[in-house]
Amino acid sequence: MTVTTIPKVPLPLLNKARLRRFFRWLKSPQVILSLIMLAVMFYMVIIPLYRMLITTITFSENDLRYAPGAVVGQFTLFHWLRMLTSKIAVIMTFQPLLHSLTISFGATTLAFVIGGTMAWMVVRTDMPGRKIINILAVVPYIMPSWTIAMAWKVLFNNGTAGGVPGVLMFLTGTAPPDWIAFGPLPIIISSALHYYTFYFLFVSAALMSIDSSLEEAAELAGASRGRILRKITFPLVIPALLSGFIMTFSKTMGTFGGPNVLGVPVSYYTMSTMLRSNTTVLAFGDAFVLAIILILFSMTTVTVNQKIVGTRKSYETIGGRGFMAQKTKLRESKYILTAITVTFQIIIAVLPLLLLIMSTLMLRSGSYSFDNLSLVHWIGESNVNINSGEPGVLLNPAIWKGAWNSIKLALYTAFFTALLGVILGYAIVKGRGTKLGKIVEQLAFVPYVIPGIAFGAVYISMFTKSVGPIPPLYGTFLLLVIVSVAKHIPYSSRSGVSAMLQVGRELEEAAAVAGANAWRRFWRIIFPLTSAGFVSGFLLTFITTMRELSLIILLVTPSTAVLASMTMRYIENGNEQQANAVIILLITIVLIGNFIISRFRGGSLKKGLGA
Amino acid sequence: MSVAIRINNLTKRFGNVTAVNNVSLNIESGSFLTLLGPSGCGKTTLLRCITGLEDPNEGEIFIGDKLVYSSSEGISVPPGERDLGLVFQNYALWPHMKVYKNMTFALETKKMTPEEMDKRVKDSLAEVKMSGYEDRYPREMSGGQQQRIALARMLAYRPGVFLMDEPLSNLDARLRMDMRIELKRLHHVTGATTVYVTHDQVEALTMSTSIAIMKEGVIQQLDTPDKVYHFPATLFVADFIGNPKVNLLNGTVDEAGKVNLGSFNVSTNTYNTKGKVVMAVRPEDIAISASPVPEGIEFTAYSVLPAGADSSIIAHRDDIELTIREMGTSTIKMDEKIWLKFNPEAVNLYDEKSGNLITQ
């Protein structure tokens, strides 16, 4: 237990007692850790954000190409005017924004319908097979978010934008229409099928936590079933619905994979893909304007949500307490419903994988007949006519390096995230009720409102040049670790706090009275008691980092490429089968990791899915 | 007698709430002092300030001769260096350590040989009658056993002062009784200065050598249990201590020195007071009779509550209600007439305005 009082600041008089008190305050572990965390988060979040803002209002060397009369280092509104008011503003900013909003709303709504309905059926009806539905619901989320998009392309590609003709075209001989093959509709569907898990988990947890006596009380008071649903049940799950909405919305706003696979080929740009194409031509000023707009949108959504829902509820999963709920009887139709649901789930979980695997087994792309089967994309030697001369995936040193990079990145990120989580948890819980604790807690929340791709963009601005003693980190592997750890801070601090709250205050106090100093208390009492959370947090971060794309796509270079970014590179080079093989490899690693999680101390993926 | 703990003008605020308000207190060596009061009265905060788990805003604390806290000097010695032990309400045994580890945790830093540690653990476990439990994890024991281990853990490092924060309130009634016996015995054997926090007056009355009754951060009375019970310094103390509750009656002291309670008078030692007073009389200090007695005041038995060893009788007369305690099972019937006599020696008078005991 820390022995602290916050001195009254500012100090009107510097006497000995005040100084002693101040130094004692400064020496307490909670304060030391809080200050370190503040410094870390300042460096990892606040300064990069500030630098990004500065970049948008300053001329850089790269701007000389297209900004006549630019003086490097001079203040300018050039980028803002160009992106918001010039002739190209519509194409550069407003169209992508509209597209992003369309996709976000579309995907969020669709995910809500699918996930919400499924949750209601599982929790509130007597439908059989709830266990299997619960398990299957998590599967699409384990896979990278753009898996379904890639599989979609295998199935529906109509050749409009080049590339390999899809299975459907091969079988029927006619090309599917453009609106099915590319653009908003497939992006929305493929995203929704990935993100519906959020809704499913949020809503079912919320429905489970509703004490059915609340509904029974209303029923006894003479309310009709419809009225109960409207006036009691629905308001009670609104926080959960909004949480699911916010999570899906901000994730899809910043998502890169799907729009890149299914949008870019037909020049259907979203904010994320437009941001990327600006950074590839080194137009950082323009790119960062887009990033800032994206961040503002995300912040607004989260703020509005918190205003409506109230403090922080949106950010916490509602703990299911498992009341005995009254179940709606479905009679015979329940078996049909189960069959439909499970079939649907299997299709979206398994079919994409089958399609992807199938495409990798075809020697010539676009031909899906048995005589075309081959393992050349997996274990073939280098051949100039196949995949730009690159050998099969399993023989390709570049891909093995990418796989190793992915694993390394995930391990480092998981380790540092878990460590930060414990420290932040300690600093926040011990600092409850103090200003310092509050600042730490709020700062830890900031990365939550920054969409993945914008977060990556923030880091370009920070680390292309050296900052003080820190060398330029752009292009280094370390930068990928830093950005991944930083993005995980909100989740790690949350799990750190809940782990810390489970350790009773008295346990540490008892150690303090017994003469243990802060260090000993931490390692002998707090750490052992929170380590279970540390381990499951570690594994979860490992999985999420393995399949993270939006966050790092702007920061990877050929030497630091990871599997996720390699799938994109191969797609962009037109080597789709190779891309598909790489994502299968990635999914395999993720599934193995997930298997380990489920074996480990009962830490289930479902528990930590908020991350 | 020397002073084990000296507290001077201690104040602790939480935001706008003053939990401990300018408290000064000397705790004599070897005494068993209980801080007693309703929840929120500041007793636990005061204890935590002594422990060093909470830093007060103002004042000084000495443990022995050592200044451990001073606001004017800016000194606050960490809890571990104050030479005291604390037993928590919920035991606070470290769940990931066996009993042995729990007990040696504090000893490890004291450069003790393993043999010495072994002996300490054995001796301390024997003192709380838990010998042989070294290899248990806390969750493998009952609540009562865990609390004994918590006590043993404190005994193992031989602190100069024992502090206890409602150590019995998580136990069931039967275990509480047993533990009271053991705690009092422990104090008797070790003679260690003990500061004990509770809201349970029976614990306070049965175990303490002195009781400090607190209300809203202020000590109302610091006295022996006997004095606290028989001569409560304020109406609050009178009302708080005793079960069934003390009878409080508004009255006026007349010219003859009798307390006029409306339709009847009670003669008592009024110390020459005049005017409005509150008369306090404990239920057991009223004699009850089923037939008229000289100077008996007539009441009606409103309700009779026998409880084995004693019975409580609720008596009414006009709008006055009294509780009377009679030993054994009462033969009084409800709605019967009864005659009451007050023991003048046991009646206390309080100033109506200040609520303070009127003394010589």
Side-chain angles (χ1 to χ4, degrees):
Chain A
M1 177 61 200
T2 50
V3 189
T4 54
T5 327
I6 291 196
K8 289 172 193 117
V9 190
L11 299 166
L13 243 166
L14 273 179
N15 60 32
K16 205 166 66 178
R18 274 178 199 284
L19 274 177
R20 274 191 192 148
R21 211 176 302 154
F22 178 72
F23 283 114
R24 200 167 58 242
W25 175 79
L26 204 61
K27 262 177 21 197
S28 75
Q30 175 255 323
V31 172
I32 293 174
L33 290 177
S34 293
L35 292 177
I36 294 174
M37 283 300 106
L38 279 186
V40 168
M41 289 191 287
F42 235 81
Y43 175 70
M44 284 168 93
V45 181
I46 302 302
I47 296 176
L49 272 173
Y50 169 77
R51 295 273 296 228
M52 181 163 86
L53 189 66
I54 293 299
T55 308
T56 64
I57 52 171
T58 316
F59 276 125
S60 73
E61 281 158 36
N62 295 320
D63 298 336
L64 297 175
R65 289 171 292 148
Y66 60 101
V71 179
V72 174
Q74 204 177 48
F75 168 82
T76 176
L77 286 176
F78 171 76
H79 296 295
W80 284 96
L81 295 174
R82 180 174 146 88
M83 298 305 277
L84 293 179
T85 60
S86 77
K87 272 182 226 158
I88 58 164
V90 172
I91 294 170
M92 295 284 273
T93 309
F94 295 111
Q95 227 172 47
L97 185 59
L98 184 70
H99 292 166
S100 280
L101 289 172
T102 311
I103 286 167
S104 287
F105 273 115
T108 309
T109 313
L110 189 58
F112 164 61
V113 172
I114 300 171
T117 316
M118 234 183 245
W120 182 79
M121 289 197 300
V122 166
V123 178
R124 283 309 176 93
T125 71
D126 57 349
M127 172 167 130
R130 287 193 293 271
K131 212 167 184 177
I132 182 100
I133 294 172
N134 263 321
I135 294 168
L136 282 173
V138 185
V139 175
Y141 190 70
I142 294 171
M143 299 190 281
S145 67
W146 65 100
T147 311
I148 295 175
M150 284 173 69
W152 188 281
K153 208 170 167 187
V154 173
L155 190 60
F156 291 110
N157 195 348
N158 59 7
T160 312
V164 186
V167 176
L168 221 59
M169 196 167 155
F170 176 78
L171 291 179
T172 61
T174 50
D178 276 356
W179 59 270
I180 287 182
F182 289 104
L185 185 77
I187 300 176
I188 287 172
I189 292 174
S190 64
S191 309
L193 294 183
H194 176 74
Y195 287 109
Y196 90 88
T197 305
F198 274 150
Y199 271 109
F200 179 75
L201 295 179
F202 274 129
V203 178
S204 49
L207 284 173
M208 270 192 281
S209 70
I210 294 176
D211 188 345
S212 66
S213 65
L214 295 176
E215 291 168 308
E216 281 156 17
E219 206 174 334
L220 289 174
S224 69
R225 278 212 85 95
R227 199 174 142 79
I228 293 170
L229 206 63
R230 246 186 8 259
K231 295 279 180 183
I232 310 287
T233 315
F234 196 65
L236 286 171
V237 293
I238 272 188
L241 295 181
L242 278 168
S243 306
F245 173 83
I246 291 306
M247 279 205 138
T248 327
F249 190 83
S250 68
K251 289 234 176 200
T252 44
M253 274 296 273
T255 195
F256 175 77
N260 196 40
V261 175
L262 294 173
V264 172
V266 291
S267 295
Y268 184 85
Y269 278 94
T270 63
M271 291 295 269
S272 55
T273 50
M274 184 53 84
L275 216 168
R276 164 88 181 303
S277 74
N278 272 308
T279 59
T280 48
V281 297
L282 304 180
F284 293 120
D286 298 350
F288 295 164
V289 170
L290 292 179
I292 290 172
I293 294 172
L294 205 50
I295 292 170
L296 289 177
F297 261 89
S298 176
M299 276 169 75
T300 317
T301 339
V302 173
T303 318
V304 169
N305 171 59
Q306 291 196 341
K307 279 264 146 48
I308 299 171
V309 179
T311 44
R312 284 295 153 76
K313 263 189 202 153
S314 65
Y315 174 56
E316 274 162 34
T317 319
I318 298 154
R321 285 214 274 146
F323 289 101
M324 282 302 293
Q326 219 180 5
K327 308 233 177 204
T328 306
K329 298 234 167 9
L330 294 176
R331 298 204 186 88
E332 292 76 31
S333 61
K334 66 188 178 187
Y335 297 104
I336 303 165
L337 260 177
T338 301
I340 293 174
T341 312
V342 172
T343 313
F344 167 77
Q345 286 185 308
I346 289 176
I347 286 174
I348 61 173
V350 179
L351 187 64
L353 291 181
L354 289 179
L355 283 166
L356 290 172
I357 292 171
M358 186 172 74
S359 86
T360 67
L361 297 177
M362 298 298 152
L363 178 59
R364 294 177 311 280
S365 56
S367 162
Y368 299 91
S369 55
F370 281 104
D371 57 348
N372 194 27
L373 278 174
S374 158
L375 283 174
V376 71
H377 297 291
W378 287 96
I379 53 170
E381 297 288 328
S382 170
N383 182 328
V384 199
N385 298 319
I386 301 169
N387 294 332
S388 320
E390 285 199 33
V393 166
L394 296 179
L395 298 180
N396 192 335
I399 287 170
W400 282 113
K401 182 158 191 268
W404 176 232
N405 276 346
S406 284
I407 293 170
K408 217 166 57 173
L409 176 63
L411 283 176
Y412 280 126
T413 305
F415 177 78
F416 287 113
T417 300
L419 192 67
L420 271 190
V422 174
I423 298 173
L424 279 168
Y426 184 85
I428 292 170
V429 171
K430 296 291 161 196
R432 282 269 158 94
T434 67
K435 279 206 187 79
L436 189 64
K438 205 168 184 180
I439 293 171
V440 173
E441 193 169 12
Q442 282 174 348
L443 204 54
F445 182 68
V446 172
Y448 185 76
V449 297
I450 305 177
I453 193 138
F455 206 77
V458 168
Y459 274 67
I460 302 180
S461 61
M462 174 74 173
F463 297 101
T464 43
K465 291 180 196 134
S466 58
V467 183
I470 297 129
L473 291 173
Y474 185 76
T476 62
F477 185 73
L478 180 62
L479 183 61
L480 299 186
V481 177
I482 293 177
V483 72
S484 305
V485 172
K487 183 67 177 142
H488 275 100
I489 283 177
Y491 311 107
S492 61
S493 74
R494 184 186 56 175
S495 57
V497 164
S498 64
M500 206 61 63
L501 285 176
Q502 277 167 13
V503 180
R505 188 172 74 159
E506 312 77 23
L507 294 181
E508 202 198 348
E509 289 180 350
V513 176
N517 61 23
W519 185 251
R520 205 167 126 80
R521 295 201 298 268
F522 186 82
W523 286 110
R524 293 288 303 276
I525 308 292
I526 292 176
F527 190 75
L529 291 174
T530 51
S531 60
F534 185 89
V535 171
S536 67
F538 177 91
L539 291 166
L540 279 164
T541 316
F542 181 84
I543 301 290
T544 50
T545 311
M546 280 295 291
R547 55 170 167 65
E548 181 61 61
L549 174 67
S550 311
L551 185 63
I552 53 168
I553 187 68
L554 300 181
L555 302 173
V556 289
T557 57
S559 69
T560 61
V562 292
L563 287 182
S565 69
M566 288 177 113
T567 62
M568 288 300 130
R569 201 182 80 218
Y570 285 129
I571 282 185
E572 285 156 10
N573 293 347
N575 301 329
E576 278 175 26
Q577 288 159 298
Q578 217 175 353
N580 294 347
V582 171
I583 203 169
I584 292 294
L585 187 63
L586 176 56
I587 290 170
T588 311
I589 298 175
V590 170
L591 285 178
I592 292 170
N594 191 54
F595 178 74
I596 296 171
I597 278 195
S598 59
R599 295 272 129 179
F600 218 102
R601 290 204 191 184
S604 80
L605 187 70
K606 217 175 145 183
K607 273 185 209 156
L609 256 191
Chain B
M1 267 213 169
S2 64
V3 174
I5 298 174
R6 194 159 86 235
I7 296 167
N8 295 333
N9 305 94
L10 200 76
T11 297
K12 172 66 186 175
R13 286 179 287 265
F14 295 106
N16 296 328
V17 182
T18 306
V20 175
N21 194 354
N22 199 23
V23 164
S24 295
L25 175 67
N26 286 343
I27 302 172
E28 285 172 3
S29 285
S31 66
F32 190 124
L33 174 86
T34 298
L35 300 172
L36 175 68
S39 62
C41 71
K43 55 190 191 300
T44 293
T45 307
L46 181 57
L47 186 82
R48 289 173 63 84
C49 288
I50 297 173
T51 324
L53 295 172
E54 210 79 67
D55 252 11
N57 297 88
E58 280 153 43
E60 287 177 331
I61 302 172
F62 289 88
I63 295 179
D65 297 326
K66 189 177 171 190
L67 179 64
V68 295
Y69 177 80
S70 162
S71 61
S72 57
E73 295 281 321
I75 289 173
S76 178
V77 175
E81 294 164 29
R82 295 190 179 194
D83 190 29
L84 30 81
L86 175 60
V87 177
F88 292 82
Q89 175 175 357
N90 57 1
Y91 330 132
L93 293 176
W94 299 302
H96 58 303
M97 299 180 188
K98 288 179 179 172
V99 167
Y100 189 87
K101 271 278 163 201
N102 258 287
M103 293 176 67
T104 54
F105 182 82
L107 305 179
E108 284 168 21
T109 45
K110 288 188 173 170
K111 288 184 183 161
M112 222 178 242
T113 64
E115 292 76 39
E116 279 178 302
M117 276 198 215
D118 259 5
K119 190 169 172 347
R120 280 281 183 96
V121 170
K122 283 221 160 59
D123 290 352
S124 309
L125 283 177
E127 271 184 278
V128 297
K129 297 179 181 164
M130 289 290 287
S131 296
Y133 279 79
E134 286 93 337
D135 283 334
R136 297 283 189 99
Y137 279 102
R139 63 174 165 278
E140 294 166 352
M141 296 180 291
S142 69
Q145 290 174 326
Q146 288 187 43
Q147 192 55 292
R148 282 170 189 262
I149 296 298
L151 204 58
R153 178 174 70 179
M154 180 186 76
L155 294 175
Y157 63 91
R158 310 261 161 91
V161 178
F162 295 175
L163 305 177
M164 304 190 191
D165 186 7
E166 310 219 12
L168 306 187
S169 57
N170 277 14
L171 304 178
D172 62 46
R174 179 69 207 276
L175 272 173
R176 267 210 294 273
M177 187 62 208
D178 292 349
M179 284 299 284
R180 266 184 228 146
I181 297 168
E182 297 301 329
L183 283 177
K184 186 148 188 179
R185 193 72 214 159
L186 187 74
H187 178 248
H188 178 73
V189 171
T190 60
T193 311
T194 305
V195 183
Y196 189 100
V197 165
T198 186
H199 63 268
D200 183 335
Q201 48 164 310
V202 181
E203 279 175 26
L205 292 168
T206 50
M207 294 191 289
S208 325
T209 57
S210 53
I211 300 177
I213 293 156
M214 291 185 71
K215 180 197 175 189
E216 290 163 9
V218 178
I219 293 180
Q220 303 282 311
Q221 185 173 10
L222 173 62
D223 235 323
T224 60
D226 184 59
K227 282 273 179 56
V228 165
Y229 188 78
H230 293 291
F231 302 98
T234 65
L235 277 174
F236 171 78
V237 176
D239 193 43
F240 187 74
I241 297 274
N243 188 23
K245 275 187 182 303
V246 73
N247 295 298
L248 298 175
L249 303 168
N250 286 303
T252 317
V253 179
D254 60 19
E255 295 301 320
K258 288 190 169 188
V259 184
N260 187 333
L261 294 158
S263 62
F264 64 97
N265 293 324
V266 175
S267 50
T268 175
N269 202 344
T270 56
Y271 301 117
N272 298 322
T273 305
K274 296 279 179 296
K276 292 190 167 175
V277 294
V278 177
M279 189 183 95
V281 58
R282 299 241 173 244
E284 65 269 27
D285 293 324
I286 304 172
I288 189 165
S289 169
S291 50
V293 286
E295 292 175 47
I297 301 147
E298 188 185 308
F299 272 70
T300 309
Y302 178 71
S303 190
V304 181
L305 310 166
D310 60 1
S311 307
S312 296
I313 295 105
I314 315 298
H316 279 186
R317 178 190 169 110
D318 304 331
D319 56 351
I320 293 176
E321 181 178 293
L322 287 177
T323 306
I324 304 107
R325 186 163 170 230
E326 195 186 5
M327 296 313 289
T329 306
S330 181
T331 51
I332 308 259
K333 303 268 180 325
M334 279 160 76
D335 286 335
E336 273 183 359
K337 293 226 181 309
I338 49 174
W339 284 265
L340 304 180
K341 274 182 82 175
F342 295 81
N343 175 3
E345 296 297 311
V347 169
N348 289 316
L349 294 182
Y350 293 85
D351 186 88
E352 196 193 37
K353 282 210 182 83
S354 66
N356 290 332
L357 182 66
I358 297 165
T359 54
Q360 286 170 309

